[in-house]
């Protein structure tokens, strides 16, 4: 079975840093994806990790530890437009298995 | 380049009726996926097409759901007859390469409400 856990909600101040954790226990693993989804819109791809370590992409970074079944998404220099749901997803064969998503609210 | 598009954006139907959802993938993407998110739950995989062939339909809930992809371009997902528990947001995604790690690009979804 697939078990992917992430916090339901997080709140942070504009300009700050927020770290969204994701733990997973899955029957297969081909990589860990992070998506951002604004309300009523399509989930949009943010990052992909298949090897252990940190991947940096502008203000967003993602980390993976396969031995611990753990990933995090780090959002730096938060902006109001970063208020959204962030989805952790594990790739298994061609399928993505998603966590329930973390709603991040950025306050002025 | 146009992204994944889905039609309609919203659909409200009565229990027992039929609804057909459409997905147009990114041009040139051979891989097409359907996912669903029911209220309060995570997004779940329904099925995967490679061109016009069903590669994996292990996530389809039951035989009231029928997906097609004639000609390997757009896809339709028909629910017949619809039940209350079919309400949710149906997402379509597409990817270019057949590799396991290829990024899937999602459409905005169709919100289905069954009354």
């Amino acid at each position: 079975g697939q078990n992917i856990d992430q916090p339901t909600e997080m709140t942070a101040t504009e300009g700050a840093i927020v770290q969204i954790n994701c733990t997973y226990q899955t029957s297969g693993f081909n990589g860990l994806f992070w998506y951002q989804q604004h309300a009523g819109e399509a989930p949009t791809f943010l990052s992909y990790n298949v090897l252990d370590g940190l991947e940096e992409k502008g203000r967003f970074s993602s980390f993976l530890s396969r031995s611990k079944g753990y990933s995090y998404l780090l959002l730096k220099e938060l902006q109001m437009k970063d208020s959204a749901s962030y989805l952790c997803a594990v790739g298994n064969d061609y399928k993505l298995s998603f966590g329930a998503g973390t709603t991040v609210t950025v306050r002025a | 380049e146009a992204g994944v598009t889905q039609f309609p954006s919203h659909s409200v139907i009565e229990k027992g009726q039929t609804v057909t959802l459409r997905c147009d993938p990114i041009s040139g993407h051979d891989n097409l996926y359907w996912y669903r998110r029911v209220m309060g739950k995570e997004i779940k995989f329904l099925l995967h097409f490679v061109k016009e062939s069903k590669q994996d339909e292990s996530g389809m809930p039951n035989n009231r759901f029928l997906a097609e992809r004639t000609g390997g371009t757009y896809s339709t997902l028909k629910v017949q007859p619809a039940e209350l528990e079919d309400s949710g947001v149906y997402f379509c995604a597409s990817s270019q390469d057949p590799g396991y790690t290829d990024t899937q690009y999602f459409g905005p979804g169709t919100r289905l409400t069954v009354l």
Side-chain angles (χ1 to χ4, degrees):
Chain A
Q2 316 289 73
N3 190 24
I4 301 167
D5 290 319
Q6 50 182 128
T8 305
E9 294 180 334
M10 302 183 75
T11 301
T13 306
E14 196 174 15
I17 297 173
V18 70
Q19 177 174 314
I20 306 169
N21 296 323
C22 172
T23 58
Y24 63 90
Q25 290 178 299
T26 58
S27 56
F29 182 85
N30 297 123
L32 193 293
F33 296 80
W34 284 95
Y35 284 83
Q36 178 192 60
Q37 186 181 21
H38 287 98
E41 297 182 9
T44 54
F45 169 75
L46 287 178
S47 69
Y48 166 69
N49 295 69
V50 67
L51 299 176
D52 290 354
L54 187 68
E55 293 280 343
E56 297 189 79
K57 208 186 265 190
R59 294 188 298 113
F60 294 174
S61 303
S62 57
F63 172 84
L64 175 67
S65 169
R66 289 171 297 171
S67 62
K68 294 182 180 177
Y70 169 68
S71 173
Y72 68 73
L73 179 69
L74 194 69
L75 286 63
K76 294 177 275 190
E77 300 169 18
L78 279 172
Q79 301 176 10
M80 299 300 288
K81 68 178 181 180
D82 297 330
S83 292
S85 179
Y86 291 85
L87 307 171
C88 171
V90 173
N92 183 7
D93 289 337
Y94 301 103
K95 308 172 201 176
L96 292 177
S97 296
F98 284 87
T102 300
T103 300
V104 172
T105 302
V106 181
R107 291 181 177 167
Chain B
E1 179 182 291
V4 177
T5 57
Q6 294 186 242
F7 182 82
S9 57
H10 294 82
S11 180
V12 180
I13 61 172
E14 301 275 337
K15 176 183 170 181
Q17 289 185 322
T18 297
V19 63
T20 300
L21 314 180
R22 174 171 169 143
C23 168
D24 286 79
I26 293 172
S27 178
H29 281 194
D30 287 337
N31 295 273
L32 187 148
Y33 312 81
W34 283 98
Y35 291 83
R36 176 174 77 167
R37 185 172 201 165
V38 297
M39 180 83 76
K41 301 281 191 177
E42 67 275 16
I43 297 172
K44 286 196 171 178
F45 169 84
L46 296 179
L47 89 159
H48 169 219
F49 283 99
V50 178
K51 297 184 180 178
E52 66 275 10
S53 300
K54 290 176 188 174
Q55 185 79 12
D56 180 352
E57 51 184 332
S58 61
M60 294 286 264
N62 51 61
N63 60 9
R64 296 185 294 102
F65 290 75
L66 174 65
E68 295 180 320
R69 193 183 181 195
T70 307
T73 54
Y74 71 91
S75 174
T76 58
L77 179 65
K78 181 191 286 188
V79 185
Q80 179 183 28
E83 298 288 344
L84 298 178
E85 64 265 25
D86 301 333
S87 294
V89 182
Y90 290 77
F91 292 102
C92 176
S94 71
S95 67
Q96 186 168 34
D97 295 325
Y100 294 153
T101 59
D102 194 39
T103 300
Q104 295 182 22
Y105 297 91
F106 281 76
T110 293
R111 181 174 294 278
L112 174 64
T113 303
V114 182
L115 302 175

